[in-house]
Amino acid sequence: EVVLTQSPGTLSLSPGERATLSCRASQSVSSSYLAWYQQKPGQGPRLLIYGTSDRATGIPDRFSGSGSGTDFTLTISRLEPEDFAVYYCQQYGGSPMFTFGQGTKLEIK
Amino acid sequence: QVQLQESGPGLVKPSETLSLTCNVSGGSISISYWSWIRQAPGKGLEWIGYTYHSGGTDYNPSLKSRVTISVDTSKTQFSLKLSSVTAADTAVYYCARVGNYGSYFDFWGQGTLVTVSS
């Protein structure tokens, strides 16, 4: 099983600041198979990024993804009030076919 | 815009079978993979399995012995059955569509809480 470890567990920032979220895999993940989601309370997750760096439809360009191998990053260039949420990374491949990180909570400082 | 909506009992007794349905609208159920994912209270996301319109399936090995996912193309819905449930199966259950490249989930339902308790 590919285990994804996200850090930090909680990130406290102010609107307008830059957020950098990390996702580390226990073994190499193809860059085609790493995705990021945003989840707000009471809602299902929302796809932000797929294929490491491709933004999903309708996602603002302040969201960007990067990385390769075992280290991946989600960057939010300038935080808006609506960006404070929990973020998950997810990989495809291996057994089980899909696994998720434990999440990073982005909270208002 | 594809929309998914979960439905089913919110309370299931231990040792019984959890049954949920996901209704799909705004897109064809016959051209994608359809998945179930769950989230225990205060925990992360766990993939349960998926199905294809032809009936093909794949399941998380940790749940495989208890899970059945099936699709009903005539009703544009797919379903989840999880047998022999325990309190550890208490979670919010989401249905989701696997995206075009097969490696992510591009549309999700809002989720439904299922509590296992006597």
Side-chain angles (χ1 to χ4, degrees), chain A residues 5-27:
Chain A
T5 302
Q6 293 186 239
S7 61
T10 301
L11 184 58
S12 299
L13 294 170
S14 301
E17 290 192 293
R18 180 185 186 91
T20 302
L21 287 67
S22 174
C23 177
R24 177 163 289 179
S26 61
Q27 56 189 275

Side-chain angles (χ1 to χ4, degrees), chain A residues 32-35 37 39 42-47 50-51 88 90-92 95-102, chain B residues 35 37 39 43-47 50 58-61 94 98 101-111:
Chain A
S32 298
Y33 298 153
L34 195 288
Y37 302 84
Q39 186 177 32
Q43 299 181 16
R46 173 193 183 197
L47 176 67
Y50 63 94
Y88 293 95
Q90 171 253 308
Q91 70 82 39
Y92 165 83
S95 179
M97 192 170 293
F98 300 91
T99 57
F100 295 85
Q102 83 281 13
Chain B
S35 194
I37 296 153
Q39 186 171 35
K43 302 294 186 181
L45 298 158
E46 179 182 32
W47 175 69
Y50 70 39
D58 194 15
Y59 301 130
N60 189 322
Y94 297 99
V98 179
Y101 296 103
S103 62
Y104 54 86
F105 306 98
D106 57 358
F107 292 100
W108 296 65
Q110 65 183 23

